Amino acid sequence: MRFSSTVAFPLAANLLPPLASAIRISPAPNGALLLRDSYDYIVVGAGIGGLVVANRLTEDPSVSVLVIEAGDLDDRGEDVSIPGSVGFEDPRRYEVKLTMTEQEFLDNKTRTVSQGKAVGGGTIVNGLVWTRGSTANFDAWERLGNPGWGWSGLLPYFRKSETYSTRDHDISACKIPVPVHPVNGKHGDQGPVEVGYPNYYYNQSDNFLDGVQQLGIPVNEDPNSGNATGATVVPSSMTQKNQSRSDARTAYLDPALGRDNLHLVTNHTVTHILHNSSGNAIASRDTPIVNVTGVEFASNVTGTMMNVTCDKEVILAAGAILSPVLLQISGIGPAQHLKDLGVNVAVDLPGVGSNFQDHPTLQPVYKYTAPDVFSVQDIVGATRDAVREEYLANRTGPWTTPMVNAVAFPALSWVTDNFRELLDEAVNTTSNLPSSYDSTLRAGYAAQKNETLCFLSRTDTPTYELMSTSWGQLAVSAMQPFSRGTVLARSSSIFDNTQPIVDPRYCSNSIDCKLLLLGIKFNDHLIATSPMAALMPVPPPGFGTADARNETSLDETMRAMITTGFHFSGTTSMLPQNLGGVVDPSLRVYGTANLRVVDAGVIPLLPGAHTQATVYAIAEKAADIIKAGSSDAFPGAKS
């Protein structure tokens, strides 16, 4: 979760690691890029999926990899590196703004969402929250037709990706508000991404965690152990020693400096996936019909179009929005939409751009008015100078703490006594899927819905996430959404798709809004607890206790506030074809011989968690699958 501000931060020289210039391709004097004639692997996108795969494949010096990224290397400024700067970054630096379609099931208005555009992708600008979800979330992936992708199959890769550190309680006066005790065997100690805890907590974190416990939500001392429910201090993707952001670039690209078999092109956009296709064919895993030969790319719409060929595979890692768009304009996707775009159909694959999922989220602010409250909003002027000096000198103080670290993940039965009635209603509520969904997508949704209903009935899988900030935001997210949307290319040119047609269709299944309404009412109970009442919270307009009595008015106010949880997924789902899938369990695109997708789009069913840890694990597993060279091989990982 993030909030916006126009505050910009100066650079801190001691936070700047060396740039990846040793492997970055620069233009020659004539403007051409000094590429090899071909590469074994071409990776499209330098976010989590792309950088993890590129790093792991080039561990073999005989393997050549080219990564093409539309963004640039970040400059490691304070607004990027410092946890306390999360949400204050200048959005013009490493983000692109996307506008969703009007949300007809909310208030008929659009929403704007930002996406990371830099080497490292969203990990350069995200909120650092490091959660995995529950065992049940991933075991559902396996039941949906993906052998090897359950909790036990992914746990080695969760561990492989991280170096998890609990803070030393003896080195600081900082007190963690609730106990943190990692479960043995569930965490990594040698992975590239550093995961840790801040050296500072706002007092409001104690109030929040004490308050939710008074309402019956127990403490969870390790929310990443497979049981995600409970009140907790979540770990963050940050270095324990330096108290700075740990992102995909620092974790997986910078350590690969000097490998002459890994090349990176920045500020260039892949415009087409090139292939030799017979056209108008039906996708099949057993008899692939399309062989990918490489990619076409350019710096901008007027730039020179360049081609580069692959000897083995193209790996698409452009994210859950742009990966399906690139597939569609390259002739792989739902046939009718491709024809409407004027694109020749290479593979008729209805699931490309469908099964779109997100965590619908509310961000009401219950302003704390108690005179002794100190929040991030008080860090201005001389106070900001002092906070900055403390951070740079000692790596302590408020700048070490991210925007969100005190959270609760309630099960449905912990929030309402009427959960069985709600379950019955969820069973019988009309799914209201997009009219473009064919029979396979509808069958896939029916299977997903059954799994989601099971999640709501459990106490180890959260229905909600409640996120507390120092200034009074009590964000509510629906962790097991029933609604589904679409992502469609706007035209046949990638440069016309800087604003693709993004429609999450929030609350198209009405049960999602019913669940969110319960979450808002839970907030009313929360701010009435003695620990929270001590902060003297003032609810936002329309969310006070008196307003809550008028459920119709409260619902209208809530719908106008619902927005993205920044957890887009599912648009290139790993599912069987008869369930609307786009990739098989080896992440190979159906109907192709050598094209894979490695990003959040392959997630078949959104886990009840933030998604970055999951995508790191997916990419680590993908790298092993690719190395094994067999779609049927799912090797274990060292951890």
Side-chain angles (χ1 to χ4, degrees), residues 553-591:
S553 176
L554 180 60
D555 180 74
E556 182 178 338
T557 302
M558 177 193 72
R559 286 175 188 264
M561 188 180 285
I562 291 172
T563 188
T564 177
F566 296 95
H567 300 153
F568 294 153
S569 62
T571 50
T572 52
S573 285
M574 177 175 54
L575 286 168
Q577 275 189 265
N578 63 357
L579 297 182
V582 175
V583 300
D584 66 18
S586 72
L587 305 187
R588 183 176 290 121
V589 176
Y590 289 116

Side-chain angles (χ1 to χ4, degrees), residues 425-433 449 508-510:
E425 184 175 353
V427 169
N428 297 313
T429 297
T430 302
S431 297
N432 198 15
L433 296 173
K449 182 177 179 180
S508 54
N509 188 313
S510 60

Side-chain angles (χ1 to χ4, degrees), residues 613-624:
T614 294
V615 179
Y616 277 112
I618 288 171
E620 286 280 15
K621 187 175 178 73
D624 270 2

Side-chain angles (χ1 to χ4, degrees), residues 195-234:
V195 179
Y197 295 85
N199 285 333
Y200 179 90
Y201 289 92
Y202 291 93
N203 291 335
Q204 295 87 294
S205 295
D206 290 281
N207 297 77
F208 171 80
L209 292 167
D210 289 345
V212 293
Q213 288 178 75
Q214 280 195 9
L215 295 177
I217 297 177
V219 167
N220 187 337
E221 297 182 2
D222 185 357
N224 290 331
S225 64
N227 180 346
T229 52
T232 191
V233 171
V234 290

Side-chain angles (χ1 to χ4, degrees), residues 48-49 52-53 56 123 130-133 138 141 148-162 186 192-193 248 252 574 585 587 597-600 602-603 607 610-625 634-637:
I48 294 175
V52 171
V53 168
R56 295 306 187 188
T123 67
W130 189 264
T131 55
R132 295 173 177 174
F138 301 102
W141 292 12
W149 287 91
W151 172 260
S152 62
L154 271 172
L155 180 58
Y157 296 99
F158 279 121
R159 296 180 61 195
K160 186 176 183 180
S161 67
E162 71 176 17
K186 303 295 186 180
V193 183
Y252 284 91
M574 177 175 54
L587 305 187
V597 182
V598 184
D599 58 36
V602 306
I603 292 173
H610 296 244
T611 51
Q612 67 164 333
T614 294
V615 179
Y616 277 112
I618 288 171
E620 286 280 15
K621 187 175 178 73
D624 270 2
I625 292 171
F634 297 93

Side-chain angles (χ1 to χ4, degrees), residues 440-461:
T440 66
L441 286 161
R442 292 175 184 275
Y445 177 78
Q448 294 172 43
K449 182 177 179 180
N450 286 336
E451 297 291 348
T452 303
L453 289 168
C454 290
F455 297 157
L456 296 188
S457 68
R458 302 176 66 107
T459 57
D460 61 354
T461 305

Side-chain angles (χ1 to χ4, degrees), residues 122-173:
T123 67
I124 299 298
V125 295
N126 69 12
L128 309 183
V129 180
W130 189 264
T131 55
R132 295 173 177 174
S134 295
T135 298
N137 288 144
F138 301 102
D139 287 349
W141 292 12
E142 197 156 35
R143 287 192 296 273
L144 288 169
N146 299 300
W149 287 91
W151 172 260
S152 62
L154 271 172
L155 180 58
Y157 296 99
F158 279 121
R159 296 180 61 195
K160 186 176 183 180
S161 67
E162 71 176 17
T163 293
Y164 179 91
S165 302
T166 56
R167 60 182 315 281
D168 186 340
H169 294 262
D170 297 328
I171 64 172
S172 170

Side-chain angles (χ1 to χ4, degrees), residues 276-341:
N276 51 10
S277 165
S278 58
N280 295 297
I282 302 298
S284 169
R285 178 185 180 188
D286 298 325
T287 56
I289 52 177
V290 169
N291 186 63
V292 171
T293 58
V295 301
E296 175 189 82
F297 65 103
S299 58
N300 53 57
V301 67
T302 61
T304 302
M305 294 291 178
M306 293 168 279
N307 292 353
V308 62
T309 61
C310 68
D311 295 328
K312 293 184 178 180
E313 296 185 12
V314 167
I315 298 163
L316 188 52
I321 302 294
L322 291 181
S323 283
V325 167
L326 187 54
L327 286 171
Q328 290 168 15
I329 66 175
S330 301
I332 301 171
Q336 186 56 58
H337 181 60
L338 270 54
K339 292 174 183 176
D340 292 342
L341 294 173

